[in-house]
Amino acid sequence: MKTKTLVLKPKTAKSAPATPVVIVALEQTQTNLSALAKQLQVKEMRFANEDLLKEFFGVTKDEVTPFVLSNATPEQLGRLILVVDAALVQMGEAELVFHAPAMASPIQNTATGLLEFFRNLPLEPKTVDFQTLTTSASASGEAKGAAKGKPKPKPKAATPAPKAETEATGTAKIGVEASKDVDFPKWYQQVLLRGEMIDYYDVSGCYIIRPWAFYVWKSIQKFFGEAIERMGVEDAYFPMFVSHRMLEQEKDHIEGFAPEVAWVTKAGSSDLEEPIAVRPTSETVIYPYFAKWIRSHRDLPIRINQWSNVVRWEFKNPQPFLRTREFLWQEGHTAHLTQEAAGVEVREILDLYQRVYEELLAVPVIPGIKSEREKFAGSLYTTTVEGYIPATGRGIQGGTSHCLGQNFSKMFNVVVEDPSAKPEERGSEEEARKLHVWQNSWGLSTRTIGVMVMVHGDNKGLVMPPRVSSVQVVVIPCGLTVKTTPEERRVVCDGVQSVVNKLQAVGVRARADLRENYTPGYKFNHWELRGVPLRLEIGPKDLRSQTTLAVRRDTGSKQPIALSDLTTLVPTLLETIQGDMFRRAKENRDRNLKVVTRWEDFVPTLNSKAIILMPWCHEIACEESIKERSARSDESDEPEDEKAPSMGAKSLCIPFEQPAEPKIIFGETLCVGCGIPAKSYGLFGRSY
Amino acid sequence: MKTKTLVLKPKTAKSAPATPVVIVALEQTQTNLSALAKQLQVKEMRFANEDLLKEFFGVTKDEVTPFVLSNATPEQLGRLILVVDAALVQMGEAELVFHAPAMASPIQNTATGLLEFFRNLPLEPKTVDFQTLTTSASASGEAKGAAKGKPKPKPKAATPAPKAETEATGTAKIGVEASKDVDFPKWYQQVLLRGEMIDYYDVSGCYIIRPWAFYVWKSIQKFFGEAIERMGVEDAYFPMFVSHRMLEQEKDHIEGFAPEVAWVTKAGSSDLEEPIAVRPTSETVIYPYFAKWIRSHRDLPIRINQWSNVVRWEFKNPQPFLRTREFLWQEGHTAHLTQEAAGVEVREILDLYQRVYEELLAVPVIPGIKSEREKFAGSLYTTTVEGYIPATGRGIQGGTSHCLGQNFSKMFNVVVEDPSAKPEERGSEEEARKLHVWQNSWGLSTRTIGVMVMVHGDNKGLVMPPRVSSVQVVVIPCGLTVKTTPEERRVVCDGVQSVVNKLQAVGVRARADLRENYTPGYKFNHWELRGVPLRLEIGPKDLRSQTTLAVRRDTGSKQPIALSDLTTLVPTLLETIQGDMFRRAKENRDRNLKVVTRWEDFVPTLNSKAIILMPWCHEIACEESIKERSARSDESDEPEDEKAPSMGAKSLCIPFEQPAEPKIIFGETLCVGCGIPAKSYGLFGRSY
């Protein structure tokens, strides 16, 4: 990896002593000098003249490498600022090349070696991330290039630097530094940002979903979209704006959303006659049309789905994917003649949600029914799939499928004539023979992506399940050194490309990383951070033996694969990885799914990051009391926030699949929460 | 088709004479009595008692048919209101059955016959559309079913009845009444509403895209999405909210959008600290991130696409699909190292847009470059595909692919190091070696659907191109009469279902219409209105001869197809229909694409509903003068609105493909608009 060493001199008063700035950076790094000057709080910097180089280091400009620093006196070094490129620090054991024009042969060293050299000097090197610097600098009116370009005023601010990342400026940012076990919130933020899943945005609570993450959503759209199409669900699109009148049609339902509704009150410079809401969900938008479109029981079932954005202006701490002010989801809205038909669909959809998590995202979930306290406002009952985040020990609602019963159809007067009424009854008294339809609604959001990241990611970054990974296999040329001839290099690159072509031909999403200025080690880190499931390494030796070394992202295990077996073994291996990821996640979840039969064990079990199955009475009062009694407000000084682990547990669901042992005997088994007879096992946990 | 006849008595003062209401309706029609009373402006209606029936018609309640009206005196008929179900009127020549319980055998007649009977009575029947009535009634607090149900107050308003449809209330609404040639705007509205493409909404300028239309958009998404994925474009999602600061970053660009921007100023009951805009387009949202993400020329090209909703609060007359305040589109945003690379992509995308129109929607378009006056604000140049609407003789912009040049990259400081700079230059003066990237943006919206409807629809309703039609083939059982045995009926229905299964097995989107209470004629109308490309009729005779009669929607032509040939002939026939629709639309367009070489011919040619190719100088002043001189403000008293055909012509594009004859010879051929030397042919027309 080539490097460059720049010696600069910030403007100072003529009489003041020089305070040089020395930059050691990868050759390709864009070292934005005006932005750097700002960050270092020095004045405009120019390249140092020959005198300064002579005075400080005893060299000409054609002899500058970082190692000339050892020629300076301690006093000189005390005045000097040494800046090291964060991207270079990242290189670790990779070979770095230091080459000044006047040198016969370059100096080679590793980043580790270089940093060791700096440590022995009496100065403190500053690590600078020029990537961030460039952006934030361009955002704040730098005046570079004045020599050549026209002196055009730059825009006041371009990319917003969100608070969290501003703090990180000046530290290396290519890998993940935070440990998943030690500082999970920071780990989550880093893995999403540096794994290129999201970027921050200057409207609070909104995030950019970058292609790497959006591909996961596309995979879900494809799987779920095709499945519901086969069920007879049709896609449509309803406006995102809702009039005040429509929104407030169903009072109970809107009560929960009202505090979070965003209102448009102006267009251009005119005030609107009345404010218009941005949909937080579409029940009140869609159901008046059900009333209009459903003319007869023969029109049933009617099944509508839309993929859309919704807005809930939450005032709690936002978290990418998990709690955002705008998010993407699908919302299904259906109407049926009978409760039974509606009920069947509720479960069909929930099964699909479970399959999205388990078969696509390799995340185990527990399907069940929500308690009365936790069900959707206005629904008859809510079914849910509940995930588990091992790192925090918290449950997370994965997706919900509601049976709305006849509540909304009564509000919106969605009726049909009763087809079972006898003809003679219909003629004479037809108005009384109307049936209100049975309705469902169901939704799955981009939260799925956050859950996937939290469950699988590790301290190297993302770990993507193969089925939803934009790139499933990355193929990297290895074993090329300075001694490799261009011809040998070409042969290896052709070999890499040929492997990619073969894999693509059998439907594997493979990509070659043929970038020239990066070491294999850098590329390994790059793709590990992004979680690509499988890496294939190909060097001259591999080509001679007609094999490639396959390295799994999930386990790090390595195995050689004969090139002739690639097209059969790689697809199988990807499916093995997918299966193993699910199995491990499930084992982990199962280890932390504890049956509790005595209240004394409840809080300690929660505190061990487990979720709990316990005999339960299903009573709202009991659930509220459990939440209160399991909060740890006295044990820590953390803020009273849903995010803090001190919060109390709530019921996640009443699982459809109940533990076989110990059996609940009604009247005998007592509720762990309150001691009255238990109805079934309930799943409890701290949750998102 | 079964019918019912109801005799009702509105509440009157005891002493006042009875004013009965007689309803003749299809049996399945829901006759909402309280809504009807409201419409008729009479008081609450009850079923007439035996006395009234005797007095007026001389029959008991078991002998009521419409034909008892002939027993009443002219004076009695004068007091009576006769209501005829619009759905029944629609039946035309289909057989209607009138059966009173005391009758030995039912009376059979057609709707035409029944209306003839009414015409001979001294009264004026009122046609009522109970479908609309039910909805608008349920919206306005009807108090039906008070006898049985609890007296629950109903919501104040459910479905908004838009003005246009309110006017239509009380008339039959199943078919299209307006003629495409005579009243095109009304035809367009009816065909969209009754063909179930859209529904009206109570936020002005917003419409519901129903599944029948949304399927077209899905087809476009699939075709275009897959094509750009192959090009290396990646999908992402950027927030729909834009801060004031971000939005106004690029002044020239925003100037055009500012008057149409919708602003969110409140969340829940709190005012936001500063208003937040809803995106009208995403240039200023995305490009700051290009500046951040593009670190090196090796990151180029970067190609991002998103499928999203955007809002432009236009104050002009909204039109479904063509001009709506919220609409769906895809917006692509890309950055390239060179102008050449950007230019290649601009045309690749434009070619895809052309293919969407021509290959999917069977609509011919003319690709070309926009004039300086018409190009996208802030772009270097804009390319476009221009459609033509024969019914109005107007051009319509179909989709645009812009080369933004370096305008935005300079605004947002999107730069890379020049890879062609020599190494020695880079070390010493690197800041001056930055290149601003070359950018494109391109978008295609749901306007496509409106253009398709306008071009292909006819006086029977929609005509769907097979490739984008949700249902390609509808199979209808025919030849079943009252004498058909249940066994024969079953055989026919099984035959229909088997045809559908066979077609679906070869990938044809086929559907059976086995509804029992509708005549074949009604079903023919139903599916013709919705534009299903091919109808297959199957009756007992067809099954005996193992054939089916295939009827094309586009031409009405009929041909028998052997059941054994279905799976080969039907897919071919659908492709033939697709090809024929395009060919006819193209012939029609070509007939109305006129070369004009003298100004005197310009306006008369426009007035003949043609679009014009003419030698043109490309000057802005000339274009403005043409627009002014071709407006017909003095010839009609129509309002000065973009919608009115009196508006002036503008340049639609400078077509890439120029007419071969007469050749333009620079310096010799003169501009038709202003007489200076012409540069090329320009395409001019009145436009949307």
Side-chain angles (χ1 to χ4, degrees):
Chain A
M1 198 103 205
K2 290 191 192 166
T3 65
K4 59 186 172 190
T5 305
L6 313 173
V7 182
L8 302 146
K9 184 184 166 299
K11 226 178 184 172
T12 49
K14 275 254 156 119
S15 56
T19 55
V21 172
V22 178
I23 304 175
V24 185
L26 292 181
E27 194 188 37
Q28 80 261 23
T29 297
Q30 291 173 31
T31 50
N32 183 322
L33 299 187
S34 46
L36 180 64
K38 211 173 158 205
Q39 157 129 355
L40 298 176
Q41 298 184 297
V42 300
K43 293 206 173 148
E44 191 187 343
M45 301 192 292
R46 294 285 158 114
F47 282 91
N49 60 19
E50 294 280 350
D51 287 352
L52 187 145
L53 293 175
K54 195 86 197 165
E55 181 193 342
F56 272 70
F57 312 115
V59 296
T60 67
K61 76 171 172 44
D62 290 332
E63 295 170 318
V64 172
T65 68
F67 307 101
V68 302
L69 285 167
S70 57
N71 301 341
T73 65
E75 186 275 329
Q76 284 172 328
L77 291 176
R79 274 193 277 148
L80 176 154
I81 302 174
L82 173 60
V83 169
V84 187
D85 179 8
L88 182 149
V89 171
Q90 270 300 337
M91 293 290 104
E93 292 304 309
E95 185 184 75
L96 299 176
V97 178
F98 304 90
H99 195 187
M103 286 163 68
S105 65
I107 301 172
Q108 299 193 1
N109 203 336
T110 60
T112 318
L114 181 70
L115 295 177
E116 182 65 19
F117 167 72
F118 291 152
R119 245 193 301 284
N120 292 323
L121 297 175
L123 51 65
E124 188 69 34
K126 286 185 194 296
T127 306
V128 168
D129 181 1
F130 286 99
Q131 282 164 33
T132 338
L133 199 61
T134 307
T135 324
S136 54
S138 69
S140 46
E142 58 175 327
K144 70 169 177 59
K148 268 198 156 171
K150 40 192 173 175
K152 193 171 195 316
K154 286 292 183 309
K156 279 215 196 79
T159 308
K163 214 174 68 188
E165 282 306 284
T166 307
E167 288 164 8
T169 300
T171 64
K173 281 185 50 191
I174 288 182
V176 176
E177 294 144 2
S179 159
K180 193 178 181 184
D181 298 331
V182 177
D183 188 349
F184 184 70
K186 190 165 184 185
W187 171 87
Y188 183 62
Q189 174 203 302
Q190 288 186 348
V191 90
L192 291 180
L193 279 171
R194 302 182 188 177
E196 297 187 350
M197 298 289 272
I198 65 154
D199 213 326
Y200 282 111
Y201 192 66
D202 81 334
V203 175
S204 170
C206 296
Y207 303 90
I208 291 156
I209 305 181
R210 298 185 68 175
W212 198 251
F214 200 84
Y215 191 89
V216 178
W217 188 236
K218 274 173 81 170
S219 307
I220 292 172
Q221 287 185 306
K222 186 167 162 31
F223 170 85
F224 186 76
E226 287 174 2
I228 61 175
E229 190 172 317
R230 280 192 297 273
M231 284 171 63
V233 178
E234 295 181 301
D235 282 345
Y237 188 75
F238 285 76
M240 76 158 163
F241 291 127
V242 195
S243 67
H244 210 281
R245 192 172 55 79
M246 296 275 273
L247 186 69
E248 307 210 325
Q249 198 102 331
E250 211 296 66
K251 291 281 176 197
D252 291 343
H253 169 70
I254 201 57
E255 208 167 90
F257 290 108
E260 298 173 359
V261 168
W263 293 94
V264 172
T265 63
K266 275 180 64 178
S269 52
S270 332
D271 289 331
L272 299 186
E273 273 182 43
E274 63 165 8
I276 295 174
V278 181
R279 65 180 159 218
T281 180
S282 301
E283 276 78 3
T284 59
V285 170
I286 296 179
Y287 299 162
Y289 293 89
F290 276 14
K292 181 174 177 189
W293 296 341
I294 297 170
R295 296 156 187 164
S296 145
H297 64 90
R298 294 180 200 89
D299 294 327
L300 297 176
I302 183 167
R303 299 168 178 221
I304 297 284
N305 177 65
Q306 67 182 9
W307 297 92
S308 61
N309 54 346
V310 286
V311 172
R312 298 181 188 173
W313 208 266
E314 300 209 50
F315 293 91
K316 287 184 218 160
N317 215 337
Q319 258 198 299
F321 296 120
L322 302 198
R323 194 189 296 134
T324 60
R325 285 180 171 172
E326 179 191 5
F327 61 86
L328 302 182
W329 75 348
Q330 62 67 221
E331 49 178 326
H333 296 274
T334 66
H336 305 260
L337 184 62
T338 64
Q339 178 171 14
E340 195 197 348
V344 167
E345 186 197 77
V346 164
R347 289 297 296 275
E348 281 175 351
I349 294 296
L350 197 74
D351 285 348
L352 289 175
Y353 289 165
Q354 183 170 5
R355 291 183 59 196
V356 165
Y357 275 99
E358 300 197 336
E359 297 178 18
L360 297 186
L361 307 178
V363 170
V365 288
I366 296 172
I369 195 158
K370 282 281 185 192
S371 68
E372 279 302 301
R373 186 172 179 272
E374 294 292 329
K375 77 177 188 184
F376 183 61
S379 75
L380 184 60
Y381 61 88
T382 288
T383 66
T384 179
V385 291
E386 295 286 321
Y388 166 72
I389 307 298
T392 57
R394 284 158 72 177
I396 185 162
Q397 179 178 303
T400 45
S401 177
H402 316 290
C403 181
L404 304 176
Q406 295 175 307
N407 187 28
F408 286 85
S409 67
K410 285 176 182 166
M411 293 293 168
F412 289 93
N413 201 35
V414 190
V415 292
V416 295
E417 219 172 294
D418 182 355
S420 63
K422 296 191 188 72
E424 59 269 25
E425 295 173 331
R426 292 155 84 188
S428 56
E429 204 191 349
E430 67 173 26
E431 294 294 351
R433 295 287 155 187
K434 292 288 164 67
L435 285 183
H436 287 95
V437 303
W438 292 83
Q439 287 179 263
N440 297 334
S441 73
W442 25 272
L444 188 76
S445 79
T446 37
R447 162 175 278 205
T448 42
I449 304 170
V451 175
M452 177 198 80
V453 169
M454 287 184 162
V455 167
H456 297 301
D458 64 20
N459 285 340
K460 286 179 167 178
L462 296 166
V463 181
M464 300 290 289
R467 289 188 190 156
V468 297
S469 188
S470 169
V471 176
Q472 297 176 305
V473 177
V474 64
V475 190
I476 295 176
C478 296
L480 302 176
T481 67
V482 279
K483 293 177 199 153
T484 310
T485 66
E487 172 59 18
E488 283 168 338
R489 184 177 296 274
R490 200 189 51 74
V491 169
V492 169
C493 288
D494 288 353
V496 165
Q497 193 55 56
S498 137
V499 164
V500 167
N501 295 346
K502 274 187 199 165
L503 290 174
Q504 286 179 345
V506 294
V508 173
R509 295 188 292 275
R511 185 188 290 184
D513 186 347
L514 297 174
R515 289 179 291 176
E516 285 200 356
N517 288 278
Y518 297 85
T519 61
Y522 178 91
K523 292 178 183 176
F524 295 173
N525 289 341
H526 178 94
W527 295 108
E528 280 174 357
L529 174 57
R530 284 157 187 77
V532 170
L534 195 65
R535 174 174 87 225
L536 299 181
E537 302 174 9
I538 294 187
K541 280 186 206 161
D542 300 301
L543 284 178
R544 280 193 291 277
S545 64
Q546 285 292 294
T547 61
T548 173
L549 188 68
V551 185
R552 285 173 62 159
R553 173 65 181 90
D554 62 327
T555 60
S557 75
K558 302 180 179 190
Q559 64 179 97
I561 295 182
L563 293 184
S564 56
D565 294 338
L566 269 183
T567 55
T568 52
L569 289 189
V570 167
T572 314
L573 186 51
L574 289 172
E575 279 301 291
T576 304
I577 294 171
Q578 179 87 30
D580 286 354
M581 286 178 68
F582 176 68
R583 188 179 42 70
R584 278 195 309 274
K586 186 158 186 305
E587 282 167 6
N588 196 354
R589 199 273 319 274
D590 289 345
R591 259 197 313 280
N592 291 290
L593 176 60
K594 302 268 170 71
V595 172
V596 163
T597 54
R598 309 180 314 164
W599 176 253
E600 305 88 275
D601 299 334
F602 190 90
V603 175
T605 307
L606 276 188
N607 290 351
S608 74
K609 295 191 176 176
I611 50 176
I612 291 172
L613 279 168
M614 64 166 216
W616 188 42
C617 62
H618 297 192
E619 296 298 323
I620 293 183
C622 174
E623 181 167 3
E624 280 168 357
S625 148
I626 288 171
K627 186 166 184 186
E628 210 167 291
R629 288 184 289 154
S630 59
R632 292 189 300 181
S633 49
D634 51 349
E635 289 180 33
S636 83
D637 53 0
E638 280 171 296
E640 270 292 356
D641 177 350
E642 285 275 298
K643 274 181 75 189
S646 59
M647 71 193 180
K650 59 187 188 183
S651 80
L652 303 175
C653 70
I654 298 154
F656 292 125
E657 197 183 320
Q658 291 276 315
E661 285 301 327
K663 252 206 169 61
I664 293 208
I665 300 157
F666 189 72
E668 208 164 287
T669 316
L670 300 181
C671 171
V672 170
C674 66
I676 71 169
K679 288 185 177 150
S680 74
Y681 280 94
L683 182 68
F684 282 79
R686 296 190 168 117
S687 87
Y688 282 86
Chain B
M1 197 102 204
K2 290 191 192 168
T3 65
K4 59 186 172 191
T5 305
L6 313 175
V7 182
L8 302 146
K9 183 182 167 301
K11 225 178 187 171
T12 47
K14 276 255 154 115
S15 56
T19 55
V21 173
V22 178
I23 305 175
V24 185
L26 292 182
E27 195 187 38
Q28 79 262 21
T29 297
Q30 290 173 32
T31 50
N32 183 323
L33 298 186
S34 46
L36 180 64
K38 210 171 159 209
Q39 157 128 358
L40 298 176
Q41 297 183 298
V42 300
K43 293 207 173 151
E44 190 187 345
M45 300 193 292
R46 295 287 158 115
F47 282 92
N49 59 22
E50 293 280 354
D51 287 351
L52 187 145
L53 293 174
K54 196 86 195 165
E55 179 193 341
F56 273 69
F57 312 114
V59 296
T60 68
K61 77 172 173 45
D62 291 332
E63 295 170 319
V64 173
T65 69
F67 307 100
V68 302
L69 285 168
S70 58
N71 300 342
T73 66
E75 187 276 332
Q76 284 173 326
L77 290 176
R79 275 193 276 149
L80 175 152
I81 302 174
L82 173 60
V83 169
V84 186
D85 179 8
L88 182 149
V89 171
Q90 271 299 337
M91 294 290 103
E93 292 304 310
E95 184 184 78
L96 299 177
V97 177
F98 304 90
H99 194 187
M103 286 164 68
S105 64
I107 299 171
Q108 298 192 3
N109 202 336
T110 60
T112 319
L114 181 69
L115 295 177
E116 182 65 20
F117 167 72
F118 290 152
R119 245 192 303 281
N120 292 325
L121 297 175
L123 50 65
E124 189 68 33
K126 284 185 195 296
T127 305
V128 169
D129 181 0
F130 286 98
Q131 281 162 34
T132 337
L133 199 61
T134 306
T135 322
S136 54
S138 69
S140 47
E142 58 174 328
K144 72 170 180 57
K148 267 199 156 172
K150 40 193 170 170
K152 194 168 193 316
K154 285 292 183 309
K156 278 211 198 81
T159 309
K163 213 174 69 186
E165 281 307 284
T166 307
E167 287 163 7
T169 299
T171 64
K173 282 183 50 192
I174 289 183
V176 176
E177 293 144 1
S179 160
K180 192 178 182 185
D181 298 331
V182 177
D183 188 348
F184 184 70
K186 189 165 185 186
W187 172 87
Y188 183 61
Q189 174 203 302
Q190 288 186 347
V191 91
L192 292 181
L193 280 171
R194 301 183 190 175
E196 298 187 349
M197 298 290 270
I198 65 153
D199 213 326
Y200 281 112
Y201 192 66
D202 79 335
V203 176
S204 169
C206 296
Y207 303 90
I208 291 155
I209 304 181
R210 298 185 67 175
W212 199 251
F214 200 84
Y215 191 89
V216 179
W217 188 236
K218 274 173 82 170
S219 308
I220 293 172
Q221 287 184 307
K222 185 165 164 27
F223 169 85
F224 186 77
E226 287 174 1
I228 60 175
E229 190 172 317
R230 280 193 297 273
M231 284 171 63
V233 177
E234 295 182 301
D235 282 345
Y237 188 75
F238 286 76
M240 76 158 162
F241 291 127
V242 195
S243 67
H244 211 281
R245 192 171 54 79
M246 296 276 271
L247 186 69
E248 306 210 326
Q249 197 101 332
E250 211 294 68
K251 291 282 175 195
D252 291 344
H253 169 70
I254 202 56
E255 209 167 88
F257 291 109
E260 298 173 0
V261 169
W263 294 95
V264 172
T265 63
K266 276 180 62 178
S269 50
S270 333
D271 289 331
L272 299 186
E273 273 182 43
E274 63 165 9
I276 294 173
V278 181
R279 65 180 159 218
T281 180
S282 301
E283 276 78 3
T284 59
V285 170
I286 295 180
Y287 299 161
Y289 292 89
F290 276 14
K292 182 174 177 189
W293 297 340
I294 298 170
R295 296 156 188 163
S296 147
H297 65 89
R298 293 180 199 90
D299 294 327
L300 297 176
I302 184 167
R303 300 168 178 221
I304 296 284
N305 177 65
Q306 68 181 10
W307 297 94
S308 61
N309 54 346
V310 286
V311 172
R312 299 180 187 173
W313 208 266
E314 299 210 50
F315 293 90
K316 286 185 219 159
N317 216 338
Q319 258 198 298
F321 297 119
L322 302 198
R323 194 189 296 134
T324 60
R325 286 181 171 172
E326 180 192 6
F327 61 87
L328 302 182
W329 74 347
Q330 63 65 221
E331 49 178 328
H333 297 274
T334 66
H336 305 260
L337 185 61
T338 64
Q339 178 171 14
E340 195 197 348
V344 167
E345 186 197 78
V346 164
R347 289 297 297 274
E348 280 175 353
I349 294 296
L350 196 74
D351 285 348
L352 289 175
Y353 289 166
Q354 182 171 6
R355 291 182 61 196
V356 165
Y357 274 99
E358 301 197 335
E359 298 178 19
L360 297 186
L361 307 178
V363 170
V365 289
I366 296 172
I369 195 158
K370 282 282 185 191
S371 68
E372 280 301 301
R373 185 173 180 272
E374 294 291 330
K375 76 176 188 183
F376 183 61
S379 74
L380 183 61
Y381 61 88
T382 288
T383 67
T384 179
V385 291
E386 295 286 321
Y388 167 71
I389 308 297
T392 58
R394 285 158 72 178
I396 185 162
Q397 178 178 303
T400 45
S401 177
H402 315 291
C403 181
L404 305 176
Q406 295 176 307
N407 188 28
F408 286 86
S409 66
K410 284 175 182 166
M411 293 293 170
F412 290 94
N413 200 37
V414 190
V415 291
V416 295
E417 219 172 295
D418 182 355
S420 64
K422 296 191 190 72
E424 58 270 24
E425 294 172 332
R426 292 156 85 185
S428 55
E429 205 194 347
E430 68 173 25
E431 293 295 350
R433 294 288 155 187
K434 291 289 165 64
L435 285 184
H436 287 96
V437 302
W438 293 83
Q439 288 181 261
N440 297 334
S441 73
W442 25 272
L444 188 77
S445 79
T446 38
R447 162 175 278 205
T448 42
I449 304 170
V451 175
M452 177 198 81
V453 169
M454 286 184 162
V455 167
H456 296 301
D458 65 19
N459 285 340
K460 286 180 168 180
L462 297 165
V463 180
M464 301 290 288
R467 289 190 191 155
V468 296
S469 189
S470 168
V471 176
Q472 296 175 306
V473 178
V474 63
V475 190
I476 296 177
C478 294
L480 303 176
T481 66
V482 279
K483 293 178 197 152
T484 312
T485 66
E487 173 58 17
E488 284 168 335
R489 185 176 295 273
R490 200 187 51 74
V491 168
V492 169
C493 288
D494 288 352
V496 165
Q497 194 56 54
S498 137
V499 165
V500 167
N501 295 346
K502 274 186 199 166
L503 290 174
Q504 286 180 344
V506 294
V508 172
R509 294 187 293 276
R511 186 188 290 184
D513 186 347
L514 297 175
R515 289 178 291 175
E516 285 199 355
N517 289 276
Y518 297 85
T519 62
Y522 178 90
K523 293 177 182 177
F524 295 172
N525 289 341
H526 178 94
W527 296 106
E528 280 174 355
L529 175 58
R530 283 157 188 77
V532 170
L534 195 65
R535 175 174 88 223
L536 298 181
E537 303 174 7
I538 293 187
K541 280 186 205 161
D542 301 299
L543 283 178
R544 280 193 290 278
S545 63
Q546 285 292 293
T547 61
T548 172
L549 189 67
V551 185
R552 284 173 63 158
R553 173 65 181 90
D554 62 328
T555 59
S557 76
K558 302 180 179 190
Q559 64 179 97
I561 295 183
L563 294 183
S564 56
D565 294 338
L566 270 182
T567 54
T568 53
L569 289 189
V570 168
T572 313
L573 186 51
L574 290 172
E575 280 301 292
T576 304
I577 293 171
Q578 179 87 29
D580 286 354
M581 286 177 69
F582 176 67
R583 189 181 39 72
R584 276 196 310 273
K586 186 159 184 306
E587 282 167 5
N588 196 355
R589 198 274 319 273
D590 288 346
R591 258 199 312 278
N592 290 289
L593 176 61
K594 302 268 170 71
V595 171
V596 164
T597 54
R598 307 181 314 163
W599 176 254
E600 305 87 274
D601 298 334
F602 190 89
V603 175
T605 307
L606 276 187
N607 291 351
S608 74
K609 294 191 175 176
I611 50 176
I612 291 172
L613 279 167
M614 64 165 215
W616 189 43
C617 62
H618 297 193
E619 297 297 324
I620 293 183
C622 173
E623 180 166 2
E624 279 167 357
S625 149
I626 288 172
K627 187 168 183 185
E628 210 166 291
R629 288 184 290 153
S630 58
R632 292 189 300 181
S633 49
D634 51 347
E635 289 181 32
S636 83
D637 53 1
E638 280 172 295
E640 270 291 354
D641 177 350
E642 285 275 300
K643 274 182 73 190
S646 57
M647 70 191 177
K650 57 186 188 182
S651 81
L652 304 175
C653 70
I654 298 154
F656 292 124
E657 197 185 317
Q658 291 274 314
E661 285 301 329
K663 252 205 169 59
I664 295 213
I665 300 157
F666 189 70
E668 209 165 286
T669 315
L670 300 182
C671 171
V672 170
C674 67
I676 71 170
K679 289 186 177 150
S680 73
Y681 280 94
L683 181 68
F684 282 79
R686 297 191 167 115
S687 87
Y688 282 86

